[in-house]
Amino acid sequence: AKSKGRGTFCFFEATMDANRQERRKLELDLQQALETNQFEIYYQPQVDAASEEVVGFEALLRWHHPERGLVSPAEFIPLAEETGLIVPIGEWVLRQACKDAAGWPADIGVAVNLSPLQFRSQTLAHTVVSALSDSELPASRLELEITESVLLTDNETTLATLHHIRGLGVRIAMDDFGTGYSSLSYLRLFPFDKIKIDQSFIRELGSSKDCAAIVKAVVDLGVSLGITTTAEGVETKDQLNRVREQGCREIQGYLFGKPLPLSSVHDLIRGRLPS
Ligand code: C2E
Ligand code: CA
Ligand code: CA
Ligand code: CA
């Protein structure tokens, strides 16, 4: 029994070691990814709930790994955050998304995700200004999505940065609303332009009366505060009808389109325009 115990322990240690090595490898790969153009931005349509017209696209990062193929952001964003690489990567996404969006019709915006770490670099506001001027994208067409974790730490500086950026005319959206512990108190802290209701609430709309009540309450809150609400992760007609019924202004989800490469965005936009 003793030797078996030791064996198990050694095996476990070896596994941990392998994991650590693999992580280290992925970290080095991630470092190279930016330099060797392995990143690509996909864009997911956001539509007006009433007219079903595309009003914007959310920029979602994709990594074409030379050996692994397409790596999901769920896998590499956390690693990029732990290593600090999210700062240069996030800056690349912001600049590229602004350039891409500058080529779209003037009524179509772009939403870019920001990591809490990007607020710690102190240069974020400057980066936003420079991304806008380099791309010539009007500030009103850019939206930045933050989760409440951004507001968890270093409140003063973060809030000052957010106010500065919003002062430029850029919209600020609270992402994944309802998944944290104090989403409500953050609405008091900063004048958000948009609330994105997390997809976990949308998924259960059909089966849970509570979820429907929560979505309705968030939408009503948004109306009182003058904040647009977006329903995330709408996959079915039934969910669409329900979020419409609750009064969500915008919809994002597979029902209207998965994240698409830029070329497909252009096809979609062209299809929308009378030729
Ligand atoms: P998120 O910001 O909440 O983005 C929405 C995610 O939900 C995307 O996953 C999108 O593809 C997925 N989604 C949209 N509609 C549906 C639907 O109807 N059904 C289902 N099942 N999923 C849907 P994705 O692209 O894998 O991104 C995952 C997360 O990675 C994002 O969540 C965001 O937190 C992070 N991320 C992606 N790109 C960036 C980036 O450029 N910077 C930062 N900091 N984070 C990013
Ligand atoms: Ca987002
Ligand atoms: Ca989200
Ligand atoms: Ca998320």
Side-chain angles (χ1 to χ4, degrees):
K2 201 177 174 186
S3 71
K4 191 185 168 201
R6 281 183 73 94
T8 310
F9 176 72
C10 283
F11 172 74
F12 184 57
E13 208 174 39
T15 313
M16 283 215 312
D17 222 51
N19 280 343
R20 208 176 295 135
Q21 268 175 29
E22 195 179 327
R23 222 193 83 110
R24 179 74 191 131
K25 164 93 168 68
L26 202 62
E27 194 182 318
L28 291 171
D29 291 349
L30 196 57
Q31 213 155 2
Q32 289 204 325
L34 201 54
E35 295 156 19
T36 55
N37 283 317
Q38 290 168 16
F39 288 121
E40 181 180 5
I41 304 177
Y42 274 39
Y43 293 97
Q44 186 177 32
Q46 303 177 315
V47 308
D48 180 272
S51 67
E52 297 191 10
E53 291 246 0
V54 175
V55 292
F57 290 90
E58 178 177 2
L60 294 158
L61 190 56
R62 298 290 180 263
W63 179 13
H64 299 281
H65 190 282
E67 293 129 39
R68 293 166 181 242
L70 207 63
V71 184
S72 152
E75 209 175 319
F76 71 83
I77 295 283
L79 184 63
E81 286 180 329
E82 285 163 41
T83 56
L85 282 167
I86 192 67
V87 176
I89 293 172
E91 179 169 343
W92 178 82
V93 173
L94 179 64
R95 290 182 177 280
Q96 190 60 46
C98 287
K99 274 186 222 156
D100 290 347
W104 304 342
D107 59 343
I108 295 185
V110 69
V112 175
N113 292 284
L114 290 184
S115 153
L117 233 75
Q118 291 178 267
F119 284 84
R120 241 171 280 163
S121 76
Q122 307 285 330
T123 56
L124 182 60
H126 174 262
T127 304
V128 172
V129 171
S130 137
L132 288 171
S133 66
D134 286 356
S135 63
E136 298 183 37
L137 184 77
S140 60
R141 288 176 57 198
L142 177 64
E143 190 166 276
L144 297 175
E145 300 192 359
I146 63 169
T147 55
E148 62 176 53
S149 57
V150 164
L151 296 166
L152 276 176
T153 52
D154 199 12
N155 243 295
E156 305 265 288
T157 338
T158 301
L159 281 177
T161 304
L162 276 174
H163 279 289
H164 183 162
I165 293 172
R166 190 166 183 266
L168 302 169
V170 174
R171 282 175 318 241
I172 309 290
M174 188 187 274
D175 203 357
D176 302 346
F177 188 86
T179 56
Y181 290 106
S182 41
S183 304
L184 279 180
S185 64
Y186 290 119
L187 288 182
R188 201 183 51 188
L189 221 56
F190 185 79
F192 287 92
D193 298 283
K194 186 181 279 185
I195 292 172
K196 298 188 75 176
I197 304 174
D198 190 69
Q199 48 192 71
S200 55
F201 296 100
I202 311 304
R203 204 171 301 132
E204 283 175 50
L205 264 183
S207 54
S208 157
K209 277 213 172 73
D210 290 352
C211 271
I214 290 168
V215 170
K216 175 84 167 68
V218 174
V219 170
D220 289 349
L221 186 70
V223 170
S224 314
L225 296 172
I227 305 176
T228 305
T229 45
T230 298
E232 285 197 279
V234 173
E235 294 183 350
T236 68
K237 265 271 177 216
D238 179 61
Q239 288 166 346
L240 172 66
N241 291 333
R242 286 175 196 271
V243 296
R244 262 195 190 135
E245 224 165 87
Q246 316 297 358
C248 280
R249 282 257 301 278
E250 287 177 14
I251 318 276
Q252 187 180 341
Y254 292 171
L255 181 66
F256 288 104
K258 290 193 172 178
L260 308 161
L262 183 64
S263 57
S264 307
V265 169
H266 287 146
D267 293 343
L268 200 146
I269 288 170
R270 234 175 281 128
R272 168 193 94 119
L273 297 168
S275 47

Short mmCIF file of all heavy atoms in Angstrom, two decimals, residues 229-261:
data_model
loop_
_atom_site.label_atom_id
_atom_site.label_comp_id
_atom_site.label_asym_id
_atom_site.label_seq_id
_atom_site.Cartn_x
_atom_site.Cartn_y
_atom_site.Cartn_z
N THR A 229 -29.86 47.93 -23.00
CA THR A 229 -29.53 46.56 -22.60
C THR A 229 -29.42 45.65 -23.82
O THR A 229 -30.22 45.73 -24.74
CB THR A 229 -30.59 45.96 -21.64
OG1 THR A 229 -31.88 46.27 -22.15
CG2 THR A 229 -30.45 46.51 -20.25
N THR A 230 -28.41 44.80 -23.79
CA THR A 230 -28.19 43.82 -24.83
C THR A 230 -28.35 42.43 -24.23
O THR A 230 -27.86 42.18 -23.13
CB THR A 230 -26.76 43.94 -25.40
OG1 THR A 230 -26.60 45.23 -25.98
CG2 THR A 230 -26.47 42.88 -26.45
N ALA A 231 -29.05 41.56 -24.93
CA ALA A 231 -29.13 40.16 -24.51
C ALA A 231 -28.05 39.39 -25.23
O ALA A 231 -27.97 39.41 -26.46
CB ALA A 231 -30.51 39.59 -24.82
N GLU A 232 -27.20 38.71 -24.47
CA GLU A 232 -26.11 37.92 -25.06
C GLU A 232 -26.52 36.46 -25.19
O GLU A 232 -27.27 35.95 -24.36
CB GLU A 232 -24.89 37.96 -24.15
CG GLU A 232 -24.10 39.24 -24.15
CD GLU A 232 -22.71 39.00 -23.56
OE1 GLU A 232 -22.58 38.97 -22.33
OE2 GLU A 232 -21.78 38.83 -24.36
N GLY A 233 -26.00 35.81 -26.21
CA GLY A 233 -26.18 34.37 -26.31
C GLY A 233 -27.57 33.93 -26.72
O GLY A 233 -28.03 32.86 -26.32
N VAL A 234 -28.27 34.76 -27.51
CA VAL A 234 -29.59 34.38 -28.00
C VAL A 234 -29.43 33.37 -29.15
O VAL A 234 -28.83 33.68 -30.18
CB VAL A 234 -30.39 35.61 -28.47
CG1 VAL A 234 -31.69 35.20 -29.14
CG2 VAL A 234 -30.66 36.54 -27.30
N GLU A 235 -29.91 32.16 -28.92
CA GLU A 235 -29.71 31.08 -29.91
C GLU A 235 -31.00 30.65 -30.60
O GLU A 235 -30.96 30.07 -31.68
CB GLU A 235 -29.07 29.86 -29.22
CG GLU A 235 -27.66 30.11 -28.72
CD GLU A 235 -27.03 28.88 -28.10
OE1 GLU A 235 -27.74 27.87 -27.89
OE2 GLU A 235 -25.81 28.93 -27.82
N THR A 236 -32.13 30.87 -29.95
CA THR A 236 -33.39 30.36 -30.51
C THR A 236 -34.42 31.48 -30.70
O THR A 236 -34.34 32.53 -30.06
CB THR A 236 -34.02 29.30 -29.57
OG1 THR A 236 -34.44 29.93 -28.37
CG2 THR A 236 -33.04 28.18 -29.25
N LYS A 237 -35.39 31.18 -31.55
CA LYS A 237 -36.52 32.10 -31.79
C LYS A 237 -37.27 32.37 -30.50
O LYS A 237 -37.69 33.50 -30.23
CB LYS A 237 -37.49 31.47 -32.81
CG LYS A 237 -37.22 31.91 -34.22
CD LYS A 237 -38.02 33.18 -34.54
CE LYS A 237 -37.71 33.70 -35.94
NZ LYS A 237 -37.68 35.15 -36.05
N ASP A 238 -37.41 31.29 -29.71
CA ASP A 238 -38.13 31.43 -28.45
C ASP A 238 -37.42 32.41 -27.51
O ASP A 238 -38.04 33.29 -26.91
CB ASP A 238 -38.25 30.05 -27.78
CG ASP A 238 -38.98 30.13 -26.45
OD1 ASP A 238 -40.16 30.54 -26.46
OD2 ASP A 238 -38.37 29.81 -25.41
N GLN A 239 -36.09 32.28 -27.42
CA GLN A 239 -35.33 33.21 -26.59
C GLN A 239 -35.45 34.64 -27.13
O GLN A 239 -35.57 35.59 -26.36
CB GLN A 239 -33.85 32.80 -26.53
CG GLN A 239 -33.62 31.55 -25.69
CD GLN A 239 -32.24 30.95 -25.90
OE1 GLN A 239 -31.53 31.30 -26.85
NE2 GLN A 239 -31.85 30.05 -25.02
N LEU A 240 -35.42 34.76 -28.46
CA LEU A 240 -35.56 36.08 -29.08
C LEU A 240 -36.88 36.73 -28.68
O LEU A 240 -36.94 37.88 -28.25
CB LEU A 240 -35.46 35.97 -30.61
CG LEU A 240 -35.78 37.24 -31.39
CD1 LEU A 240 -34.73 38.32 -31.11
CD2 LEU A 240 -35.88 36.97 -32.88
N ASN A 241 -37.96 35.95 -28.81
CA ASN A 241 -39.28 36.48 -28.46
C ASN A 241 -39.33 36.89 -27.00
O ASN A 241 -39.90 37.93 -26.66
CB ASN A 241 -40.37 35.44 -28.76
CG ASN A 241 -40.54 35.25 -30.27
OD1 ASN A 241 -40.26 36.16 -31.04
ND2 ASN A 241 -40.97 34.05 -30.66
N ARG A 242 -38.73 36.07 -26.16
CA ARG A 242 -38.77 36.37 -24.72
C ARG A 242 -37.97 37.63 -24.37
O ARG A 242 -38.43 38.46 -23.58
CB ARG A 242 -38.27 35.18 -23.91
CG ARG A 242 -39.28 34.04 -23.88
CD ARG A 242 -38.71 32.83 -23.17
NE ARG A 242 -39.49 31.64 -23.47
CZ ARG A 242 -40.54 31.25 -22.76
NH1 ARG A 242 -40.92 31.95 -21.72
NH2 ARG A 242 -41.21 30.16 -23.09
N VAL A 243 -36.76 37.77 -24.93
CA VAL A 243 -35.98 38.97 -24.58
C VAL A 243 -36.61 40.23 -25.16
O VAL A 243 -36.54 41.30 -24.58
CB VAL A 243 -34.48 38.87 -24.97
CG1 VAL A 243 -33.78 37.77 -24.21
CG2 VAL A 243 -34.29 38.71 -26.46
N ARG A 244 -37.27 40.06 -26.32
CA ARG A 244 -38.01 41.18 -26.89
C ARG A 244 -39.15 41.59 -25.98
O ARG A 244 -39.37 42.77 -25.71
CB ARG A 244 -38.61 40.75 -28.24
CG ARG A 244 -37.78 41.18 -29.40
CD ARG A 244 -38.63 41.05 -30.66
NE ARG A 244 -37.81 41.22 -31.83
CZ ARG A 244 -37.87 40.44 -32.90
NH1 ARG A 244 -38.70 39.42 -32.91
NH2 ARG A 244 -37.11 40.68 -33.92
N GLU A 245 -39.86 40.58 -25.52
CA GLU A 245 -40.98 40.80 -24.60
C GLU A 245 -40.54 41.56 -23.36
O GLU A 245 -41.25 42.43 -22.86
CB GLU A 245 -41.52 39.44 -24.17
CG GLU A 245 -43.01 39.26 -24.16
CD GLU A 245 -43.32 37.78 -24.06
OE1 GLU A 245 -43.37 37.27 -22.93
OE2 GLU A 245 -43.45 37.12 -25.12
N GLN A 246 -39.33 41.22 -22.87
CA GLN A 246 -38.82 41.89 -21.67
C GLN A 246 -38.28 43.28 -21.99
O GLN A 246 -37.95 44.02 -21.08
CB GLN A 246 -37.71 41.07 -20.99
CG GLN A 246 -37.96 39.58 -20.84
CD GLN A 246 -39.16 39.26 -19.97
OE1 GLN A 246 -39.80 40.16 -19.43
NE2 GLN A 246 -39.47 37.99 -19.85
N GLY A 247 -38.13 43.59 -23.27
CA GLY A 247 -37.73 44.95 -23.64
C GLY A 247 -36.26 45.17 -23.95
O GLY A 247 -35.81 46.31 -24.02
N CYS A 248 -35.47 44.09 -24.13
CA CYS A 248 -34.07 44.25 -24.51
C CYS A 248 -33.97 45.01 -25.83
O CYS A 248 -34.72 44.71 -26.76
CB CYS A 248 -33.39 42.89 -24.68
SG CYS A 248 -32.91 42.15 -23.14
N ARG A 249 -33.07 45.96 -25.92
CA ARG A 249 -32.96 46.78 -27.13
C ARG A 249 -32.09 46.13 -28.20
O ARG A 249 -32.33 46.30 -29.39
CB ARG A 249 -32.36 48.15 -26.76
CG ARG A 249 -33.35 49.10 -26.14
CD ARG A 249 -33.82 50.15 -27.14
NE ARG A 249 -32.70 50.93 -27.66
CZ ARG A 249 -32.15 51.97 -27.02
NH1 ARG A 249 -32.61 52.35 -25.86
NH2 ARG A 249 -31.15 52.62 -27.56
N GLU A 250 -31.06 45.41 -27.76
CA GLU A 250 -30.15 44.79 -28.73
C GLU A 250 -29.95 43.32 -28.42
O GLU A 250 -30.08 42.89 -27.28
CB GLU A 250 -28.80 45.52 -28.73
CG GLU A 250 -28.87 46.88 -29.40
CD GLU A 250 -27.56 47.64 -29.35
OE1 GLU A 250 -26.51 47.04 -29.02
OE2 GLU A 250 -27.60 48.86 -29.62
N ILE A 251 -29.64 42.58 -29.49
CA ILE A 251 -29.48 41.14 -29.38
C ILE A 251 -28.15 40.72 -30.00
O ILE A 251 -27.76 41.23 -31.05
CB ILE A 251 -30.57 40.39 -30.19
CG1 ILE A 251 -31.94 41.03 -30.01
CG2 ILE A 251 -30.55 38.90 -29.89
CD1 ILE A 251 -32.70 40.61 -28.81
N GLN A 252 -27.49 39.79 -29.33
CA GLN A 252 -26.27 39.20 -29.88
C GLN A 252 -26.35 37.71 -29.60
O GLN A 252 -26.68 37.31 -28.49
CB GLN A 252 -25.06 39.82 -29.18
CG GLN A 252 -23.72 39.43 -29.77
CD GLN A 252 -22.54 40.08 -29.05
OE1 GLN A 252 -22.71 41.08 -28.35
NE2 GLN A 252 -21.36 39.53 -29.23
N GLY A 253 -26.08 36.91 -30.61
CA GLY A 253 -26.15 35.47 -30.38
C GLY A 253 -26.14 34.70 -31.69
O GLY A 253 -26.28 35.28 -32.76
N TYR A 254 -25.97 33.40 -31.56
CA TYR A 254 -25.84 32.55 -32.74
C TYR A 254 -27.06 32.64 -33.66
O TYR A 254 -26.95 32.41 -34.86
CB TYR A 254 -25.60 31.09 -32.34
CG TYR A 254 -24.26 30.84 -31.69
CD1 TYR A 254 -23.97 29.60 -31.10
CD2 TYR A 254 -23.25 31.82 -31.67
CE1 TYR A 254 -22.74 29.36 -30.51
CE2 TYR A 254 -22.02 31.58 -31.09
CZ TYR A 254 -21.77 30.34 -30.51
OH TYR A 254 -20.56 30.09 -29.93
N LEU A 255 -28.23 32.99 -33.12
CA LEU A 255 -29.43 33.10 -33.95
C LEU A 255 -29.21 34.10 -35.09
O LEU A 255 -29.66 33.88 -36.21
CB LEU A 255 -30.63 33.53 -33.09
CG LEU A 255 -31.97 33.67 -33.81
CD1 LEU A 255 -32.46 32.30 -34.32
CD2 LEU A 255 -33.04 34.27 -32.91
N PHE A 256 -28.51 35.19 -34.78
CA PHE A 256 -28.25 36.19 -35.82
C PHE A 256 -26.86 36.06 -36.43
O PHE A 256 -26.56 36.71 -37.42
CB PHE A 256 -28.46 37.60 -35.27
CG PHE A 256 -29.90 37.93 -35.05
CD1 PHE A 256 -30.42 37.94 -33.77
CD2 PHE A 256 -30.73 38.17 -36.13
CE1 PHE A 256 -31.77 38.22 -33.56
CE2 PHE A 256 -32.07 38.43 -35.93
CZ PHE A 256 -32.60 38.47 -34.64
N GLY A 257 -26.02 35.27 -35.84
CA GLY A 257 -24.71 35.05 -36.44
C GLY A 257 -23.64 34.75 -35.42
O GLY A 257 -23.61 35.31 -34.34
N LYS A 258 -22.77 33.81 -35.79
CA LYS A 258 -21.60 33.49 -34.99
C LYS A 258 -20.52 34.52 -35.31
O LYS A 258 -20.65 35.27 -36.28
CB LYS A 258 -21.11 32.08 -35.35
CG LYS A 258 -22.05 31.01 -34.87
CD LYS A 258 -21.41 29.63 -34.94
CE LYS A 258 -22.32 28.64 -34.25
NZ LYS A 258 -21.85 27.27 -34.27
N PRO A 259 -19.47 34.56 -34.50
CA PRO A 259 -18.34 35.44 -34.86
C PRO A 259 -17.78 35.06 -36.24
O PRO A 259 -17.61 33.87 -36.53
CB PRO A 259 -17.32 35.16 -33.74
CG PRO A 259 -18.13 34.65 -32.59
CD PRO A 259 -19.25 33.88 -33.22
N LEU A 260 -17.55 36.07 -37.08
CA LEU A 260 -17.15 35.86 -38.48
C LEU A 260 -15.81 36.53 -38.79
O LEU A 260 -15.51 37.58 -38.22
CB LEU A 260 -18.18 36.51 -39.41
CG LEU A 260 -19.65 36.18 -39.26
CD1 LEU A 260 -20.49 37.26 -39.94
CD2 LEU A 260 -19.91 34.81 -39.86
N PRO A 261 -15.05 35.96 -39.72
CA PRO A 261 -13.85 36.68 -40.16
C PRO A 261 -14.24 37.95 -40.91
O PRO A 261 -15.37 38.07 -41.39
CB PRO A 261 -13.15 35.68 -41.09
CG PRO A 261 -14.18 34.68 -41.46
CD PRO A 261 -15.20 34.66 -40.36
#
